[in-house]
Amino acid sequence: MAYDTINKKTVMFGGSDGSNRNNETWEWNGVNWTQRNPSSKPSARNDHAMAYDSARGKVVLFGGYSYSGGPVYYNDTWEWDGVNWINMNSSSK
């Protein structure tokens, strides 16, 4: 989770239903949780890090891992712009 000071919302990514990881994005406005449905988003994962970059006004997500027949470690960076997650490791930035 990370707090977006410009939009005044806490952004949460990922989670688990107890047996499966997900790649859901949720925002908390201080009263209600709202699930967002971005067209682009990171894959489901555990133990990623999130922080708010106040200089650029973006929530940033980095790394984590998943497990599918063995551990898969991620070394990717994503930014939440309030609508979509943008893969900062792709050539389409």
Coordinates of all heavy atoms in Angstrom, one line a residue:
M1 N 0.8 -1.2 0.0 CA 0.0 0.0 0.0 C 0.9 1.2 0.0 O 2.0 1.2 0.5 CB -0.9 0.0 1.2 CG -2.2 -0.7 1.1 SD -3.3 -0.3 2.5 CE -2.8 -1.5 3.6
A2 N 0.3 2.3 -0.5 CA 1.0 3.6 -0.5 C -0.1 4.7 -0.5 O -1.2 4.5 -1.1 CB 1.9 3.8 -1.7
Y3 N 0.2 5.8 0.1 CA -0.8 6.9 0.2 C -0.4 8.0 -0.9 O 0.7 8.5 -0.9 CB -0.8 7.6 1.6 CG -1.8 8.7 1.7 CD1 -3.1 8.4 1.6 CD2 -1.4 10.0 1.8 CE1 -4.1 9.4 1.7 CE2 -2.3 11.0 1.9 CZ -3.7 10.7 1.8 OH -4.6 11.7 1.9
D4 N -1.4 8.2 -1.8 CA -1.2 9.2 -2.8 C -1.7 10.6 -2.3 O -2.9 10.8 -2.1 CB -2.1 8.8 -4.0 CG -2.1 9.7 -5.2 OD1 -1.8 10.9 -5.0 OD2 -2.5 9.3 -6.3
T5 N -0.8 11.5 -2.0 CA -1.1 12.7 -1.4 C -1.8 13.7 -2.3 O -2.6 14.5 -1.8 CB 0.1 13.4 -0.8 OG1 1.1 13.6 -1.8 CG2 0.8 12.6 0.3
I6 N -1.6 13.6 -3.6 CA -2.3 14.5 -4.5 C -3.8 14.1 -4.6 O -4.7 15.0 -4.5 CB -1.7 14.5 -5.9 CG1 -0.3 15.1 -5.9 CG2 -2.6 15.1 -6.9 CD1 0.5 15.1 -7.2
N7 N -4.1 12.8 -4.8 CA -5.5 12.4 -4.9 C -6.1 12.0 -3.6 O -7.3 11.7 -3.5 CB -5.6 11.2 -5.8 CG -5.2 11.6 -7.3 OD1 -5.7 12.5 -7.8 ND2 -4.2 10.9 -7.8
K8 N -5.3 12.1 -2.5 CA -5.8 11.8 -1.1 C -6.4 10.4 -1.0 O -7.5 10.3 -0.5 CB -6.7 12.9 -0.6 CG -6.0 14.3 -0.6 CD -6.9 15.3 0.0 CE -6.3 16.7 0.1 NZ -5.0 17.0 -0.3
K9 N -5.7 9.4 -1.6 CA -6.2 8.0 -1.5 C -5.1 7.1 -1.2 O -3.9 7.3 -1.6 CB -6.8 7.6 -2.9 CG -8.1 8.4 -3.3 CD -8.6 8.0 -4.6 CE -9.8 8.8 -4.9 NZ -10.3 8.4 -6.3
T10 N -5.4 6.1 -0.5 CA -4.5 5.0 -0.3 C -4.7 4.0 -1.4 O -5.8 3.6 -1.7 CB -4.7 4.3 1.1 OG1 -4.5 5.3 2.1 CG2 -3.8 3.1 1.3
V11 N -3.6 3.6 -2.0 CA -3.6 2.6 -3.1 C -3.1 1.3 -2.6 O -2.0 1.2 -2.1 CB -2.8 3.1 -4.3 CG1 -2.9 2.1 -5.5 CG2 -3.3 4.5 -4.8
M12 N -3.9 0.2 -2.9 CA -3.4 -1.1 -2.5 C -3.4 -2.0 -3.7 O -4.3 -2.0 -4.5 CB -4.4 -1.7 -1.5 CG -4.0 -3.1 -1.0 SD -5.0 -3.8 0.3 CE -6.5 -4.2 -0.6
F13 N -2.3 -2.8 -3.9 CA -2.2 -3.7 -5.0 C -2.0 -5.1 -4.5 O -1.2 -5.3 -3.6 CB -1.1 -3.3 -5.9 CG -0.9 -4.3 -7.0 CD1 -1.7 -4.3 -8.2 CD2 0.0 -5.3 -6.9 CE1 -1.5 -5.2 -9.2 CE2 0.2 -6.3 -7.9 CZ -0.6 -6.2 -9.0
G14 N -2.7 -6.1 -5.1 CA -2.5 -7.5 -4.8 C -3.3 -7.9 -3.7 O -4.3 -7.3 -3.3
G15 N -3.0 -9.1 -3.2 CA -3.8 -9.7 -2.1 C -3.9 -11.2 -2.4 O -3.3 -11.7 -3.3
S16 N -4.6 -11.8 -1.5 CA -4.8 -13.3 -1.6 C -6.2 -13.6 -1.0 O -6.6 -13.0 0.0 CB -3.7 -14.0 -0.8 OG -4.0 -15.4 -0.8
D17 N -6.8 -14.7 -1.5 CA -8.0 -15.2 -1.0 C -7.7 -16.4 0.0 O -8.6 -17.1 0.4 CB -9.0 -15.6 -2.0 CG -8.5 -16.7 -2.9 OD1 -7.5 -17.3 -2.6 OD2 -9.2 -17.1 -3.9
G18 N -6.5 -16.5 0.3 CA -6.1 -17.6 1.2 C -5.4 -18.7 0.4 O -4.5 -19.4 1.0
S19 N -5.7 -18.9 -0.8 CA -5.0 -19.9 -1.6 C -4.5 -19.4 -3.0 O -3.6 -20.0 -3.6 CB -5.9 -21.1 -1.8 OG -7.1 -20.7 -2.4
N20 N -5.0 -18.3 -3.4 CA -4.6 -17.7 -4.7 C -4.2 -16.2 -4.6 O -4.9 -15.5 -3.9 CB -5.7 -17.8 -5.8 CG -6.1 -19.3 -6.0 OD1 -5.2 -20.1 -6.4 ND2 -7.3 -19.6 -5.8
R21 N -3.1 -15.8 -5.2 CA -2.7 -14.4 -5.2 C -3.6 -13.8 -6.3 O -4.0 -14.4 -7.3 CB -1.3 -14.3 -5.6 CG -0.3 -14.7 -4.6 CD 1.1 -14.7 -5.1 NE 2.0 -15.6 -4.3 CZ 2.0 -16.9 -4.5 NH1 1.4 -17.5 -5.4 NH2 2.8 -17.6 -3.7
N22 N -3.8 -12.4 -6.2 CA -4.5 -11.7 -7.2 C -3.7 -10.4 -7.6 O -2.7 -10.1 -6.9 CB -5.9 -11.4 -6.8 CG -6.0 -10.4 -5.6 OD1 -5.4 -9.3 -5.7 ND2 -6.7 -10.8 -4.6
N23 N -4.1 -9.8 -8.6 CA -3.5 -8.5 -9.0 C -4.5 -7.4 -9.1 O -4.6 -6.7 -10.0 CB -2.7 -8.7 -10.3 CG -3.6 -9.1 -11.5 OD1 -4.7 -9.6 -11.3 ND2 -3.1 -9.0 -12.7
E24 N -5.3 -7.4 -8.0 CA -6.3 -6.3 -7.9 C -5.7 -5.0 -7.4 O -4.8 -5.0 -6.6 CB -7.4 -6.8 -6.9 CG -8.2 -8.0 -7.3 CD -9.2 -8.5 -6.3 OE1 -9.2 -8.0 -5.1 OE2 -9.9 -9.5 -6.6
T25 N -6.4 -3.9 -7.8 CA -6.0 -2.6 -7.4 C -7.2 -2.0 -6.7 O -8.3 -2.0 -7.2 CB -5.6 -1.7 -8.6 OG1 -4.5 -2.3 -9.2 CG2 -5.2 -0.3 -8.1
W26 N -7.0 -1.5 -5.4 CA -8.0 -0.9 -4.6 C -7.6 0.5 -4.2 O -6.4 0.7 -4.0 CB -8.3 -1.8 -3.4 CG -9.0 -3.1 -3.7 CD1 -8.4 -4.2 -4.1 CD2 -10.4 -3.4 -3.6 NE1 -9.3 -5.2 -4.3 CE2 -10.6 -4.7 -4.0 CE3 -11.5 -2.6 -3.2 CZ2 -11.8 -5.3 -4.0 CZ3 -12.7 -3.2 -3.2 CH2 -12.9 -4.6 -3.6
E27 N -8.5 1.4 -4.0 CA -8.3 2.7 -3.5 C -9.2 3.0 -2.3 O -10.4 2.6 -2.3 CB -8.5 3.8 -4.5 CG -7.5 3.8 -5.6 CD -7.7 4.9 -6.7 OE1 -8.8 5.3 -6.9 OE2 -6.7 5.3 -7.2
W28 N -8.6 3.6 -1.2 CA -9.4 3.9 0.0 C -9.4 5.5 0.1 O -8.3 6.1 0.0 CB -8.7 3.3 1.2 CG -9.2 3.8 2.5 CD1 -8.5 4.7 3.3 CD2 -10.4 3.4 3.2 NE1 -9.3 4.9 4.5 CE2 -10.4 4.1 4.4 CE3 -11.4 2.6 2.8 CZ2 -11.5 4.0 5.3 CZ3 -12.5 2.5 3.7 CH2 -12.5 3.2 4.9
N29 N -10.5 6.1 0.1 CA -10.6 7.5 0.1 C -10.9 8.0 1.6 O -11.2 9.2 1.7 CB -11.7 8.0 -0.8 CG -13.1 7.5 -0.3 OD1 -13.3 7.0 0.7 ND2 -14.1 7.8 -1.2
G30 N -10.7 7.2 2.5 CA -11.0 7.6 3.9 C -12.3 7.1 4.4 O -12.6 7.1 5.6
V31 N -13.2 6.7 3.5 CA -14.6 6.3 3.8 C -14.8 4.9 3.2 O -15.4 4.0 3.9 CB -15.6 7.3 3.4 CG1 -17.0 6.8 3.7 CG2 -15.4 8.7 4.0
N32 N -14.5 4.8 1.9 CA -14.8 3.6 1.2 C -13.7 3.0 0.4 O -12.8 3.8 -0.1 CB -16.0 3.8 0.2 CG -17.2 4.2 0.8 OD1 -17.8 3.5 1.6 ND2 -17.8 5.4 0.4
W33 N -13.6 1.7 0.3 CA -12.7 1.0 -0.6 C -13.4 0.9 -2.0 O -14.6 0.5 -2.1 CB -12.4 -0.4 -0.2 CG -11.4 -0.4 1.0 CD1 -11.7 -0.6 2.3 CD2 -10.0 -0.3 0.8 NE1 -10.5 -0.6 3.0 CE2 -9.5 -0.4 2.1 CE3 -9.1 0.0 -0.2 CZ2 -8.1 -0.3 2.4 CZ3 -7.8 0.1 0.0 CH2 -7.3 -0.1 1.3
T34 N -12.7 1.2 -3.1 CA -13.2 1.1 -4.4 C -12.2 0.2 -5.2 O -11.0 0.6 -5.3 CB -13.3 2.5 -5.1 OG1 -14.2 3.3 -4.3 CG2 -13.9 2.3 -6.5
Q35 N -12.7 -0.8 -5.8 CA -11.9 -1.6 -6.7 C -11.7 -1.0 -8.0 O -12.7 -0.6 -8.6 CB -12.4 -3.1 -6.9 CG -11.4 -3.9 -7.6 CD -11.9 -5.4 -7.7 OE1 -12.9 -5.8 -7.3 NE2 -11.0 -6.2 -8.3
R36 N -10.5 -0.8 -8.5 CA -10.2 -0.2 -9.8 C -10.0 -1.4 -10.8 O -9.5 -2.4 -10.4 CB -9.0 0.7 -9.7 CG -9.2 1.8 -8.7 CD -10.3 2.8 -9.0 NE -10.3 3.4 -10.3 CZ -9.7 4.5 -10.6 NH1 -9.2 5.2 -9.6 NH2 -9.7 5.0 -11.8
N37 N -10.3 -1.1 -12.0 CA -10.1 -2.1 -13.1 C -9.2 -1.6 -14.2 O -9.7 -1.3 -15.3 CB -11.5 -2.6 -13.6 CG -12.2 -3.4 -12.5 OD1 -11.7 -4.3 -12.0 ND2 -13.4 -2.8 -12.2
P38 N -7.9 -1.4 -13.9 CA -7.1 -0.9 -15.0 C -6.9 -1.9 -16.1 O -6.9 -3.1 -16.0 CB -5.7 -0.7 -14.2 CG -5.8 -1.6 -13.1 CD -7.2 -1.8 -12.7
S39 N -6.7 -1.3 -17.3 CA -6.5 -2.2 -18.5 C -5.1 -2.7 -18.5 O -4.8 -3.8 -19.1 CB -6.7 -1.4 -19.8 OG -5.8 -0.3 -19.9
S40 N -4.1 -2.1 -17.8 CA -2.8 -2.7 -17.7 C -2.4 -2.7 -16.2 O -2.8 -1.8 -15.5 CB -1.7 -1.8 -18.5 OG -1.7 -0.5 -17.9
K41 N -1.8 -3.8 -15.8 CA -1.4 -4.0 -14.4 C -0.4 -5.0 -14.2 O -0.2 -5.9 -15.1 CB -2.7 -4.4 -13.6 CG -3.4 -5.6 -14.1 CD -4.7 -5.8 -13.4 CE -5.6 -6.8 -14.1 NZ -6.9 -6.9 -13.5
P42 N 0.4 -5.0 -13.1 CA 1.4 -6.0 -12.9 C 0.7 -7.4 -12.7 O -0.5 -7.5 -12.3 CB 2.0 -5.6 -11.5 CG 1.7 -4.1 -11.4 CD 0.3 -4.0 -12.1
S43 N 1.5 -8.4 -12.8 CA 1.0 -9.8 -12.5 C 0.8 -9.9 -11.0 O 1.4 -9.2 -10.2 CB 2.0 -10.8 -13.1 OG 3.2 -10.6 -12.5
A44 N 0.1 -10.9 -10.6 CA -0.1 -11.2 -9.2 C 1.2 -11.6 -8.6 O 2.0 -12.3 -9.2 CB -1.1 -12.4 -9.0
R45 N 1.4 -11.1 -7.3 CA 2.7 -11.3 -6.7 C 2.6 -11.1 -5.2 O 1.7 -10.5 -4.7 CB 3.8 -10.4 -7.2 CG 3.4 -8.9 -7.1 CD 4.2 -8.0 -7.9 NE 4.1 -8.2 -9.3 CZ 5.0 -7.8 -10.2 NH1 6.1 -7.2 -9.9 NH2 4.8 -8.0 -11.5
N46 N 3.6 -11.6 -4.5 CA 3.8 -11.3 -3.0 C 5.0 -10.5 -2.8 O 5.9 -10.4 -3.6 CB 4.0 -12.6 -2.3 CG 2.8 -13.5 -2.1 OD1 1.7 -13.1 -2.5 ND2 3.0 -14.6 -1.5
D47 N 5.0 -9.8 -1.6 CA 6.2 -9.2 -1.1 C 6.8 -8.1 -2.0 O 8.0 -7.9 -2.1 CB 7.3 -10.2 -0.8 CG 6.9 -11.1 0.4 OD1 6.0 -10.6 1.2 OD2 7.4 -12.2 0.5
H48 N 6.0 -7.4 -2.8 CA 6.4 -6.3 -3.6 C 6.5 -5.1 -2.7 O 5.9 -5.1 -1.6 CB 5.5 -6.0 -4.8 CG 4.0 -5.9 -4.4 ND1 3.3 -7.1 -4.1 CD2 3.2 -4.9 -4.2 CE1 2.0 -6.7 -3.7 NE2 2.0 -5.4 -3.8
A49 N 7.1 -4.0 -3.1 CA 7.2 -2.8 -2.3 C 6.5 -1.7 -3.1 O 6.5 -1.7 -4.3 CB 8.7 -2.4 -2.2
M50 N 5.8 -0.8 -2.3 CA 5.1 0.3 -2.9 C 5.5 1.6 -2.1 O 5.6 1.5 -0.9 CB 3.6 0.1 -2.9 CG 3.1 -0.9 -3.9 SD 1.4 -1.2 -3.8 CE 0.7 0.4 -4.3
A51 N 5.6 2.7 -2.8 CA 5.9 4.0 -2.2 C 5.3 5.1 -3.1 O 5.0 4.8 -4.2 CB 7.4 4.2 -2.1
Y52 N 5.1 6.2 -2.5 CA 4.6 7.4 -3.2 C 5.8 8.3 -3.6 O 6.5 8.7 -2.7 CB 3.5 8.1 -2.4 CG 3.0 9.3 -3.2 CD1 2.1 9.1 -4.2 CD2 3.3 10.6 -2.8 CE1 1.6 10.1 -4.9 CE2 2.7 11.7 -3.5 CZ 1.9 11.4 -4.6 OH 1.3 12.5 -5.3
D53 N 5.9 8.6 -4.8 CA 6.9 9.6 -5.3 C 6.3 10.9 -5.3 O 5.6 11.3 -6.3 CB 7.4 9.1 -6.7 CG 8.5 10.0 -7.2 OD1 8.7 11.1 -6.7 OD2 9.2 9.6 -8.2
S54 N 6.5 11.7 -4.3 CA 5.9 13.0 -4.2 C 6.4 14.0 -5.2 O 5.7 15.0 -5.6 CB 6.0 13.6 -2.8 OG 7.4 13.8 -2.5
A55 N 7.6 13.9 -5.7 CA 8.2 14.8 -6.7 C 7.5 14.6 -8.0 O 7.4 15.6 -8.8 CB 9.7 14.5 -6.8
R56 N 7.0 13.4 -8.3 CA 6.4 13.1 -9.6 C 4.9 12.8 -9.5 O 4.2 12.7 -10.5 CB 7.1 11.9 -10.3 CG 8.6 12.3 -10.6 CD 9.4 11.2 -11.1 NE 8.8 10.5 -12.2 CZ 8.4 9.2 -12.0 NH1 8.6 8.5 -10.9 NH2 7.8 8.5 -13.0
G57 N 4.4 12.7 -8.2 CA 3.0 12.5 -8.0 C 2.5 11.1 -8.5 O 1.4 11.0 -9.1
K58 N 3.3 10.1 -8.3 CA 3.0 8.7 -8.7 C 3.2 7.7 -7.6 O 4.1 7.9 -6.8 CB 3.9 8.3 -9.9 CG 3.9 9.2 -11.1 CD 2.7 9.0 -11.9 CE 2.8 9.8 -13.2 NZ 1.7 9.7 -14.1
V59 N 2.3 6.7 -7.6 CA 2.6 5.6 -6.7 C 3.4 4.6 -7.5 O 3.2 4.4 -8.7 CB 1.2 4.9 -6.3 CG1 1.5 3.6 -5.6 CG2 0.4 5.8 -5.4
V60 N 4.5 4.1 -6.9 CA 5.5 3.2 -7.5 C 5.4 1.9 -6.9 O 5.4 1.8 -5.6 CB 6.9 3.9 -7.5 CG1 7.9 2.9 -8.1 CG2 6.9 5.3 -8.1
L61 N 5.4 0.8 -7.7 CA 5.5 -0.6 -7.2 C 6.7 -1.2 -7.8 O 7.0 -1.0 -8.9 CB 4.2 -1.3 -7.7 CG 4.1 -2.8 -7.3 CD1 2.6 -3.1 -7.3 CD2 4.8 -3.7 -8.4
F62 N 7.4 -2.0 -6.9 CA 8.6 -2.6 -7.4 C 8.7 -4.1 -6.9 O 8.4 -4.4 -5.8 CB 9.9 -1.9 -6.9 CG 11.2 -2.7 -7.3 CD1 11.6 -2.7 -8.6 CD2 11.8 -3.5 -6.3 CE1 12.8 -3.4 -8.9 CE2 12.9 -4.2 -6.7 CZ 13.4 -4.1 -8.0
G63 N 9.1 -5.0 -7.8 CA 9.5 -6.3 -7.5 C 8.4 -7.2 -6.9 O 7.2 -7.1 -7.2
G64 N 8.9 -8.2 -6.1 CA 8.0 -9.2 -5.5 C 8.3 -10.5 -6.1 O 9.3 -10.7 -6.8
Y65 N 7.5 -11.5 -5.8 CA 7.7 -12.8 -6.4 C 6.3 -13.5 -6.4 O 5.4 -13.2 -5.8 CB 8.7 -13.6 -5.5 CG 8.1 -14.2 -4.2 CD1 7.6 -15.5 -4.2 CD2 8.1 -13.4 -3.1 CE1 7.1 -16.0 -3.0 CE2 7.7 -13.9 -1.9 CZ 7.1 -15.2 -1.9 OH 6.6 -15.7 -0.7
S66 N 6.3 -14.6 -7.2 CA 5.1 -15.5 -7.3 C 5.7 -16.9 -7.2 O 6.9 -17.1 -7.3 CB 4.3 -15.3 -8.5 OG 5.0 -15.6 -9.7
Y67 N 4.8 -17.9 -7.1 CA 5.3 -19.3 -7.0 C 4.4 -20.1 -7.9 O 3.2 -20.2 -7.7 CB 5.2 -19.8 -5.6 CG 6.0 -21.0 -5.4 CD1 7.3 -21.0 -5.1 CD2 5.4 -22.3 -5.5 CE1 8.1 -22.1 -4.9 CE2 6.1 -23.4 -5.4 CZ 7.5 -23.3 -5.0 OH 8.2 -24.5 -4.9
S68 N 5.0 -20.6 -9.0 CA 4.3 -21.5 -9.9 C 5.2 -22.6 -10.3 O 6.0 -22.5 -11.3 CB 3.8 -20.7 -11.1 OG 3.1 -21.5 -12.0
G69 N 5.3 -23.7 -9.5 CA 6.2 -24.7 -9.8 C 7.6 -24.4 -9.3 O 8.5 -25.1 -9.5
G70 N 7.8 -23.3 -8.7 CA 9.0 -22.8 -8.2 C 8.9 -21.3 -8.1 O 8.0 -20.6 -8.7
P71 N 9.8 -20.6 -7.4 CA 9.7 -19.2 -7.2 C 10.1 -18.4 -8.5 O 10.9 -18.8 -9.2 CB 10.7 -18.9 -6.1 CG 11.7 -20.0 -6.1 CD 10.9 -21.2 -6.6
V72 N 9.3 -17.4 -8.7 CA 9.5 -16.5 -9.9 C 9.7 -15.1 -9.2 O 8.8 -14.6 -8.6 CB 8.3 -16.5 -10.9 CG1 8.6 -15.4 -12.0 CG2 8.1 -17.8 -11.4
Y73 N 10.9 -14.5 -9.4 CA 11.2 -13.2 -8.8 C 11.1 -12.1 -9.8 O 11.6 -12.3 -10.9 CB 12.6 -13.2 -8.2 CG 12.7 -14.2 -7.0 CD1 13.2 -15.5 -7.2 CD2 12.3 -13.9 -5.8 CE1 13.3 -16.4 -6.2 CE2 12.4 -14.8 -4.7 CZ 12.9 -16.0 -4.9 OH 13.0 -16.9 -3.9
Y74 N 10.4 -11.0 -9.4 CA 10.2 -9.9 -10.4 C 11.2 -8.8 -10.1 O 11.5 -8.5 -8.9 CB 8.8 -9.4 -10.3 CG 7.8 -10.4 -10.6 CD1 7.0 -11.1 -9.7 CD2 7.6 -10.8 -12.0 CE1 6.1 -12.0 -10.0 CE2 6.6 -11.7 -12.3 CZ 5.9 -12.4 -11.3 OH 5.0 -13.3 -11.6
N75 N 11.7 -8.2 -11.1 CA 12.6 -7.1 -11.0 C 12.1 -5.9 -11.9 O 12.8 -5.3 -12.7 CB 14.0 -7.5 -11.5 CG 15.1 -6.4 -11.2 OD1 14.9 -5.6 -10.3 ND2 16.1 -6.4 -12.0
D76 N 10.7 -5.7 -11.7 CA 10.1 -4.7 -12.6 C 9.5 -3.6 -11.7 O 9.3 -3.7 -10.5 CB 9.0 -5.4 -13.4 CG 8.0 -6.2 -12.6 OD1 8.2 -6.3 -11.3 OD2 6.9 -6.6 -13.1
T77 N 9.4 -2.5 -12.4 CA 8.8 -1.2 -11.7 C 7.6 -0.8 -12.5 O 7.6 -0.7 -13.7 CB 9.9 -0.1 -11.8 OG1 11.1 -0.6 -11.1 CG2 9.4 1.1 -11.1
W78 N 6.5 -0.5 -11.7 CA 5.3 0.0 -12.3 C 4.9 1.3 -11.6 O 5.2 1.5 -10.4 CB 4.2 -1.0 -12.0 CG 4.4 -2.3 -12.7 CD1 5.2 -3.4 -12.4 CD2 3.7 -2.7 -13.9 NE1 5.1 -4.4 -13.3 CE2 4.1 -4.0 -14.3 CE3 2.7 -2.1 -14.7 CZ2 3.7 -4.7 -15.4 CZ3 2.2 -2.8 -15.8 CH2 2.7 -4.1 -16.1
E79 N 4.2 2.2 -12.3 CA 3.6 3.4 -11.7 C 2.1 3.4 -11.9 O 1.6 3.1 -13.0 CB 4.2 4.6 -12.4 CG 5.7 4.8 -12.1 CD 6.2 6.1 -12.7 OE1 5.6 6.7 -13.6 OE2 7.3 6.5 -12.2
W80 N 1.4 3.8 -10.9 CA 0.0 4.0 -10.9 C -0.3 5.5 -11.2 O 0.1 6.3 -10.4 CB -0.6 3.6 -9.5 CG -2.1 3.8 -9.4 CD1 -2.7 4.7 -8.6 CD2 -3.1 3.1 -10.1 NE1 -4.0 4.6 -8.7 CE2 -4.3 3.6 -9.6 CE3 -3.2 2.1 -11.1 CZ2 -5.6 3.2 -10.1 CZ3 -4.4 1.7 -11.5 CH2 -5.6 2.2 -11.0
D81 N -1.1 5.7 -12.2 CA -1.4 7.1 -12.6 C -2.8 7.5 -12.2 O -3.3 8.5 -12.6 CB -1.2 7.4 -14.1 CG -2.1 6.6 -15.0 OD1 -3.0 5.9 -14.5 OD2 -1.9 6.7 -16.2
G82 N -3.5 6.6 -11.4 CA -4.8 6.8 -11.0 C -5.9 6.2 -11.9 O -7.0 6.1 -11.6
V83 N -5.4 5.6 -13.0 CA -6.3 4.9 -14.0 C -5.7 3.6 -14.4 O -6.4 2.6 -14.4 CB -6.5 5.8 -15.3 CG1 -7.4 5.0 -16.3 CG2 -7.2 7.1 -14.9
N84 N -4.4 3.6 -14.7 CA -3.7 2.4 -15.1 C -2.3 2.3 -14.5 O -1.7 3.2 -14.1 CB -3.5 2.4 -16.7 CG -4.7 2.0 -17.4 OD1 -5.3 0.9 -17.2 ND2 -5.1 2.9 -18.3
W85 N -1.8 1.0 -14.4 CA -0.5 0.8 -14.1 C 0.4 0.8 -15.3 O 0.0 0.3 -16.3 CB -0.3 -0.6 -13.4 CG -0.9 -0.7 -12.1 CD1 -2.1 -1.2 -11.7 CD2 -0.2 -0.3 -10.9 NE1 -2.2 -1.2 -10.3 CE2 -1.1 -0.6 -9.8 CE3 1.0 0.3 -10.6 CZ2 -0.8 -0.3 -8.5 CZ3 1.3 0.6 -9.3 CH2 0.4 0.3 -8.2
I86 N 1.5 1.5 -15.2 CA 2.4 1.7 -16.4 C 3.7 1.0 -16.1 O 4.3 1.2 -15.1 CB 2.6 3.2 -16.7 CG1 1.3 3.9 -17.0 CG2 3.6 3.4 -17.8 CD1 1.4 5.4 -16.8
N87 N 4.0 0.0 -17.0 CA 5.3 -0.7 -16.8 C 6.4 0.2 -17.2 O 6.6 0.5 -18.4 CB 5.2 -2.0 -17.7 CG 6.4 -2.9 -17.4 OD1 7.5 -2.5 -17.0 ND2 6.3 -4.1 -17.8
M88 N 7.3 0.5 -16.2 CA 8.4 1.4 -16.5 C 9.6 0.7 -17.1 O 10.6 1.3 -17.5 CB 8.8 2.1 -15.2 CG 7.7 3.0 -14.6 SD 6.8 4.1 -15.8 CE 8.2 5.2 -16.1
N89 N 9.5 -0.7 -17.2 CA 10.6 -1.5 -17.8 C 10.3 -1.7 -19.2 O 11.2 -2.3 -19.9 CB 10.7 -2.8 -17.0 CG 11.1 -2.6 -15.6 OD1 10.2 -2.5 -14.8 ND2 12.3 -2.5 -15.3
S90 N 9.2 -1.4 -19.8 CA 8.9 -1.6 -21.2 C 9.4 -0.5 -22.1 O 9.6 0.6 -21.6 CB 7.4 -1.8 -21.4 OG 6.7 -0.6 -21.3
S91 N 9.5 -0.8 -23.3 CA 10.0 0.2 -24.3 C 8.9 1.1 -24.7 O 9.1 2.1 -25.4 CB 10.6 -0.5 -25.5 OG 9.6 -1.3 -26.1
S92 N 7.7 0.9 -24.2 CA 6.5 1.7 -24.6 C 6.2 2.8 -23.6 O 5.1 3.4 -23.5 CB 5.3 0.9 -24.8 OG 5.0 0.2 -23.6
K93 N 7.2 3.2 -22.7 CA 7.0 4.2 -21.7 C 6.7 5.5 -22.3 O 7.2 5.9 -23.3 CB 8.2 4.4 -20.8 CG 8.6 3.1 -20.0 CD 9.7 3.5 -19.1 CE 11.0 2.9 -19.7 NZ 12.1 3.0 -18.9

